Amino acid sequence: MTRDDKEKHFGRGGRQIVSVALVLTAVLFTLPALVVRNEPVYQRTETENPPAETQTPPAASSSPAAPTAHRDKGRAVRLQTKDGAIVELTMSDYLWGVVAAEMPAAFEEEALKAQACAARTYTVIRQNSSSDKHPGADICGDSTCCQAYIQRSAAEARWGLNAREYGEKIDRAISGTDGLGVLYGGQPIQALFFSSAAGKTVDAVEVWGNSVAYLKSVDSPEGEEVPNYRTQVVLGAEEVKSLTLNAYPGADLSGDPSTWFGVASRNEGGGVISIPLGGVTLTGGQARALFSLRSAAFTVTWDGAQFTFSVTGYGHGVGMSQYGANAMAKNGSTFKDILTWYYTGAEVGTLW
């Protein structure tokens, strides 16, 4: 999982706060048997997303009560660091380093909670499998293989004057989702995430050829507030020819460069599903990798001297968009709202 380009406030008058507190107190006394939604193992809340053509992120809902158990502190993670050493950490300490490395700490707390749940779920999946890339460890700190990880001291040094605020914010994101993960059919999912989408996330089948029930395309609300949301890559004809023929020797790039690229097939979000190049058909992901583009949501033009790739968003586009999660949180969505929106048909429940 590639580390992408990552790096609230309301107040009400005192009378309003007192009024709300009195209402909540009345509710609690009239509902003594209230069950905390997070606690039952694998409890499912049945909700359905609207059809794809009318999807909009859900409106704000009441924030669920945080779990009180200390599940993360009682579970160990064996991490292979970038220098090859294997260290054992508690799940809570490990997740702190992942969230700090994978998502900007300035994000809304509900977005950070969503990231913590996704990372926790991904870690459990890794613990239940084995990898020849890091024998003796559950997971590694290489973002090209597993998840990014940063030591607390290094993160705090990077944050400077914001270190205490950001550190405590991530502490709350971890403790406020203690032991919770994303489940489908009662089992942990491959909780993939990426930086930012071009209006919609991407169905997994478009990227890897395999259909996954909970990794479907949904609307994603981020936009121009995302740093480097729109980027360009400019390449000369010889550069395009060299890169293409090295990877796809069967391509025919002998003619006018203006004829090399054919008409792209696109998904609803504008991302490239496939594009012809010199008689060879590439997927959007293959073209993205070939020309080092930030995403597969791109257009390509030829001006007689060079090709310009205009790109929107950053990342593979499958699963949870981090900037989309932050936009939802700003609009009042809880971490559960975010996770069940981006992972179609999934639920949030305890992992152990």
Side-chain angles (χ1 to χ4, degrees):
M1 189 176 298
T2 304
R3 171 167 165 48
D4 297 324
D5 188 46
K6 304 158 181 115
E7 291 268 59
K8 134 177 174 115
H9 300 288
F10 64 88
R12 298 187 181 276
R15 294 180 181 178
Q16 291 174 303
I17 293 173
V18 171
S19 298
V20 171
L22 289 173
V23 172
L24 291 175
T25 301
V27 171
L28 290 173
F29 275 102
T30 56
L31 295 177
L34 182 66
V35 177
V36 178
R37 291 172 57 198
N38 290 339
E39 289 299 318
V41 177
Y42 301 150
Q43 180 175 333
R44 186 184 184 94
T45 301
E46 294 294 340
T47 58
E48 293 183 355
N49 289 332
E53 63 271 15
T54 61
Q55 285 179 334
T56 55
S61 66
S62 299
S63 180
T68 56
H70 299 286
R71 302 183 183 96
D72 287 346
K73 294 184 182 298
R75 188 177 180 97
V77 178
R78 290 170 297 169
L79 168 69
Q80 180 175 295
T81 62
K82 289 184 177 180
D83 61 7
I86 296 177
V87 297
E88 186 169 294
L89 306 169
T90 65
M91 179 67 77
S92 57
D93 288 342
Y94 168 67
L95 289 177
W96 193 100
V98 173
V99 174
E102 290 283 5
M103 179 176 275
F107 274 18
E108 301 290 321
E109 284 194 33
E110 293 301 310
L112 292 166
K113 288 179 180 180
Q115 180 68 61
C117 283
R120 187 182 289 110
T121 308
Y122 183 83
T123 304
V124 167
I125 290 287
R126 287 289 189 172
Q127 288 183 315
N128 293 338
S129 61
S130 59
S131 173
D132 294 336
K133 295 181 179 180
H134 39 77
D138 301 319
I139 202 163
C140 72
D142 182 355
S143 62
T144 64
C145 176
C146 296
Q147 299 180 123
Y149 172 85
I150 187 171
Q151 290 186 338
R152 187 161 190 148
S153 57
E156 290 177 340
R158 184 179 67 190
W159 294 330
L161 295 177
N162 294 317
R164 180 174 179 177
E165 175 192 352
Y166 288 172
E168 291 177 352
K169 200 173 180 182
I170 295 177
D171 284 333
R172 291 193 298 270
I174 304 301
S175 62
T177 61
D178 186 38
L180 296 179
V182 192
L183 312 170
Y184 186 86
Q187 298 300 315
I189 70 167
Q190 292 283 355
L192 303 180
F193 54 88
F194 63 99
S195 181
S196 60
K200 283 182 174 288
T201 65
V202 180
D203 194 309
V205 72
E206 293 182 20
V207 179
W208 295 294
N210 297 320
S211 181
V212 181
Y214 51 81
L215 295 177
K216 300 299 183 183
S217 175
V218 300
D219 290 334
S220 195
E222 69 271 42
E224 302 300 332
E225 80 281 2
V226 178
N228 299 312
Y229 188 56
R230 302 185 191 278
T231 55
Q232 288 189 336
V233 172
V234 178
L235 298 173
E238 289 303 314
E239 291 177 278
V240 169
K241 178 183 286 188
S242 175
L243 290 169
T244 302
L245 294 180
N246 283 339
Y248 305 96
D252 180 8
L253 301 180
S254 59
D256 187 327
S258 66
T259 67
W260 291 358
F261 286 92
V263 177
S265 171
R266 298 183 180 277
N267 56 35
E268 292 182 357
V272 173
I273 298 174
S274 64
I275 186 168
L277 173 57
V280 176
T281 299
L282 307 183
T283 66
Q286 289 171 329
R288 177 198 175 201
L290 183 62
F291 301 117
S292 300
L293 310 179
R294 284 167 62 88
S295 83
F298 68 88
T299 60
V300 56
T301 57
W302 168 254
D303 65 2
Q306 57 193 11
F307 289 98
T308 298
F309 298 84
S310 299
V311 189
T312 305
Y314 187 16
H316 51 64
V318 180
M320 184 182 74
S321 163
Q322 294 171 313
Y323 275 91
N326 196 48
M328 289 181 67
K330 286 182 177 180
N331 195 42
S333 295
T334 69
F335 75 95
K336 284 191 174 184
D337 295 331
I338 294 167
L339 294 169
T340 55
W341 175 255
Y342 281 109
Y343 303 113
T344 304
E347 60 182 324
V348 177
T350 52
L351 291 167
W352 58 83

